[in-house]
Amino acid sequence: MPLTLITDVLDAYEADQAYRRELQERYAYAIDRWDALETATVEALASDYDQRHPDEPSLAVELARTTVTPAAA
């Protein structure tokens, strides 16, 4: 496999992982702020991601397991 193909695959993988982390952070923030619209938006984006990446662990399931620790006063 040529070196350019390997780097392209790695770049795509890193971009996917960064997108997953971004959605997880947005979801946690939305839950913390009781923002129902943003929560629903992120859930829809996670569902779309799961449809496009059927071989990966479900992002929607990961989001459902998200818990938010209350900020210290």
Side-chain angles (χ1 to χ4, degrees), residues 55-73:
D55 296 333
E56 294 186 22
S58 174
L59 181 56
V61 170
E62 289 179 27
L63 293 181
R65 294 181 184 149
T66 300
T67 58
V68 176
T69 306

Side-chain angles (χ1 to χ4, degrees), residues 4-47:
T4 54
L5 288 178
I6 292 172
T7 58
D8 289 345
V9 169
L10 286 175
D11 288 345
Y13 175 78
E14 289 173 355
D16 278 347
Q17 294 306 306
Y19 184 67
R20 287 178 72 95
R21 283 189 303 275
E22 176 191 346
L23 287 180
Q24 289 168 335
E25 291 169 7
R26 283 177 63 184
Y27 191 74
Y29 184 79
I31 288 176
D32 187 47
R33 299 287 180 229
W34 292 79
D35 186 342
L37 180 60
E38 180 67 7
T39 301
T41 299
V42 174
E43 288 171 349
L45 290 171
S47 179

